[in-house]
Amino acid sequence: MALFRKLGTLNVLKVTSRPLSSATPDVRIYEVGPRDGLQNEAKFVPTDIKVELIHKLADAGIKHIESASFVSPKWVKQMSDGVDVMKNLKRAPGVNYPVLIPNLKGYETAKKCNIEEIAIFPAGSEGFSQKNLNCSVEEGLRRFKEVAEAAVKDGIRVRGYVSCVVGCPYDGPIKPKVIAKITEELFAMGCYEVSLGDTIGVGTAGSVRALLRELRPAAGALALHLHDTYGQALASLLAGLEFGINTIDSSISGLGGCPYARGASGNLATEDLVYFLYGLGVNTNIDIIKLLEAGRYISSFLGKMTESKVNRALGDRFKNHEDVIKIATCNV
């Protein structure tokens, strides 16, 4: 593919996979809890709770927090207060607050909220595209191209998502070449990064490796967005790190799911991801104590137990960030 050859020429990454022991990866965490995590919750989360959650995540050291969605309230009522959320944020220096955009109408509304980055989200399968976007994959890409072109013209960064990259609840397994073609189109639109979403959580280290072999020349400009339905998210992440992936989407407290993918559980929990990375020797510069507190905060409001195994295990027993790092690295 021409674009991937170009990306390879520009040295986006080394094109061979490598064992993790050969280098400590630099990993960028892209928090999606306030948007993707909450959108499937039946209990409406008031604006002030959403804003406080975002503030807590920023205070913990998260630098990329997807904060709102400008989809129609008819389809996703939970995200109906996107304008209020964005206008009530106390933006921390150096923190990025991207928003999800479905179409030009949503973009025009979001533009009034002093946004710096948007995300567009075509599907990787025809069945999911019809359910999620009410159109074919091709038509969805045409719509998003209009949004991306407008954003690029306005100097706003554009990130792409592709959903159902290894499996679809309607179409079954998805061929890597299909995802590669969609990914190439997103880069051509001007996306600086494309996040590969295992929307129903069926991915394994093996299926993620097969996908990334097809996408390898672009891996430095890719992210992984993993749901943990089958408990395979961290294993799939490890496979991604071996291929040079350095951006990982996650959701505080493991919140998430999808209204169009029955049975899909939440995203990889941010607390589990950060603990996992510290165990690999990766300094994320995130205060895990404050992160655990943010997870308990939103779980308490929702009246449900956190889906983060690390948060369940550690709870509020520790007050010092370094003490938790010692456990993660076995440096006791």
Side-chain angles (χ1 to χ4, degrees):
M1 294 183 179
L3 181 63
F4 289 168
R5 286 197 294 272
K6 181 179 179 183
L7 285 167
T9 303
L10 292 173
N11 293 318
V12 172
L13 82 164
K14 295 177 181 178
V15 297
T16 55
S17 62
R18 70 213 189 287
L20 283 174
S21 58
S22 67
T24 300
D26 293 321
V27 178
R28 171 177 176 259
I29 294 176
Y30 197 97
E31 172 65 48
V32 299
R35 195 280 302 174
D36 190 29
L38 294 180
Q39 70 176 9
N40 202 42
E41 291 293 328
K43 180 179 181 180
F44 187 79
V45 181
T47 301
D48 62 327
I49 300 292
K50 291 172 182 166
V51 169
E52 182 61 18
L53 173 62
I54 295 168
H55 289 165
K56 286 180 178 294
L57 291 166
D59 187 51
I62 303 289
K63 297 300 184 184
H64 305 274
I65 307 171
E66 194 171 77
S67 301
S69 171
F70 289 84
V71 299
S72 169
K74 175 183 177 182
W75 300 111
V76 187
K77 184 180 178 182
Q78 186 69 259
M79 296 289 106
S80 61
D81 58 347
V83 170
D84 292 332
V85 168
M86 298 306 294
K87 289 190 173 180
N88 282 282
L89 282 179
K90 294 179 181 176
R91 305 189 187 208
V95 178
N96 178 31
Y97 300 92
V99 299
L100 195 76
I101 303 293
N103 49 40
L104 279 174
K105 181 179 179 181
Y107 175 68
E108 291 301 325
T109 302
K111 222 172 36 162
K112 300 172 185 176
C113 300
N114 192 29
I115 57 171
E116 297 179 341
E117 179 175 323
I118 66 167
I120 54 178
F121 53 105
S125 68
E126 291 295 339
F128 194 77
S129 186
Q130 290 292 345
K131 291 289 185 179
N132 192 37
L133 299 171
N134 198 30
C135 67
S136 67
V137 171
E138 184 177 356
E139 174 60 25
L141 286 167
R142 281 199 297 269
R143 294 179 190 175
F144 288 124
K145 184 178 180 182
E146 294 176 344
V147 176
E149 287 177 345
V152 169
K153 183 179 178 181
D154 292 334
I156 293 172
R157 294 186 302 273
V158 183
R159 188 181 199 241
Y161 283 107
V162 186
S163 55
C164 297
V165 294
V166 291
C168 169
Y170 310 102
D171 297 352
I174 305 300
K175 294 181 179 179
K177 286 187 182 297
V178 173
I179 303 305
K181 183 176 184 297
I182 296 170
T183 301
E184 182 175 17
E185 292 196 41
L186 287 170
F187 282 129
M189 292 176 195
C191 292
Y192 77 89
E193 180 175 78
V194 174
S195 177
L196 305 171
D198 180 17
T199 310
I200 56 175
V202 296
T204 62
S207 60
V208 168
R209 285 193 183 104
L211 174 62
L212 293 177
R213 277 194 290 269
E214 189 69 34
L215 294 165
R216 183 179 292 169
L222 297 174
L224 285 178
H225 181 111
L226 303 166
H227 286 239
D228 205 28
T229 311
Y230 290 81
Q232 301 297 302
L234 285 176
S236 297
L237 162 60
L238 194 59
L241 294 177
E242 291 170 352
F243 274 81
I245 299 293
N246 56 20
T247 299
I248 309 298
D249 297 358
S250 63
S251 176
I252 189 67
S253 202
L255 294 172
C258 179
Y260 305 105
R262 181 175 295 180
S265 67
N267 295 271
L268 171 61
T270 306
E271 303 97 310
D272 298 359
L273 171 60
V274 170
Y275 186 85
F276 172 82
L277 291 173
Y278 274 120
L280 287 179
V282 179
N283 181 10
T284 65
N285 293 311
I286 292 170
D287 187 322
I288 199 165
I289 297 297
K290 291 183 177 180
L291 193 65
L292 294 170
E293 290 172 353
R296 291 196 297 273
Y297 170 79
I298 191 60
S299 296
S300 175
F301 173 80
L302 293 170
K304 58 196 286 187
M305 181 178 288
T306 176
E307 292 299 321
S308 163
K309 291 180 174 59
V310 168
N311 212 329
R312 289 186 190 181
L314 297 179
D316 60 357
R317 292 188 294 117
F318 293 88
K319 304 301 179 186
N320 190 309
H321 167 79
E322 294 300 328
D323 290 339
V324 179
I325 305 311
K326 287 179 182 178
I327 296 174
T329 58
C330 295
N331 183 18
V332 295

